[in-house]
Amino acid sequence: MPLPTDTMHSTSSNPSRITFNTAGKYFIQGHVQVANIVDGSGNTAGRRHLAIRLNAGNRNVVTQSSPSLSDGWGHQVSVTLNVSVNDYVELMLLQTSGEVLAVQYSNGSPWFTAHKID
């Protein structure tokens, strides 16, 4: 049986968003893994920030850290929000290393979900 989505995501219109069609309280979660730079030397410069933003406003929750040399950087962020119909959330990634770093599309990365809890 397919999972109900309440048509909260579109791959053609605003694909970076989860848009709420039913008001209520939602648990929202996201995860991103950033790969090392191509030569494999690692990149510990700068910081990595992952945030959930509501309606293109301020970030509601932010997690940040400095990466290590051991591997790519992965982080998860979550928040519970009360939303209205047509509110939307986006998962935002910022990295300040000065290098081009790619999002890793493996090991379950990236993902972004919203679950109605009330």
Side-chain angles (χ1 to χ4, degrees):
M1 181 167 108
L3 296 174
T5 63
D6 201 18
T7 61
M8 296 190 308
H9 182 258
S10 170
T11 57
S12 59
S13 174
N14 299 312
S16 67
R17 299 178 180 179
I18 294 175
T19 303
F20 300 97
N21 296 313
T22 303
K25 184 182 288 187
Y26 286 79
F27 179 67
I28 304 156
Q29 247 181 330
H31 170 79
V32 174
Q33 176 95 17
V34 178
N36 270 333
I37 56 178
V38 176
D39 67 7
S41 63
N43 186 324
T44 60
R47 300 200 53 83
R48 313 293 188 266
H49 303 258
L50 187 61
I52 294 173
R53 183 170 74 164
L54 176 65
N55 297 329
N58 292 331
R59 297 167 292 182
N60 289 83
V61 61
V62 177
T63 183
Q64 65 178 346
S65 68
S66 297
S68 70
L69 277 176
S70 62
D71 203 354
W73 176 90
H75 237 21
Q76 183 171 316
V77 64
S78 61
V79 66
T80 301
L81 294 174
N82 287 309
V83 300
S84 300
V85 173
N86 294 323
D87 280 351
Y88 65 92
V89 288
E90 296 173 290
L91 185 64
M92 310 299 291
L93 171 66
L94 170 69
Q95 66 90 10
T96 62
S97 71
E99 298 281 344
V100 174
L101 301 178
V103 170
Q104 188 172 352
Y105 290 94
S106 62
N107 300 325
S109 172
W111 53 262
F112 188 37
T113 65
H115 302 274
K116 190 170 187 311
I117 57 175
D118 188 23

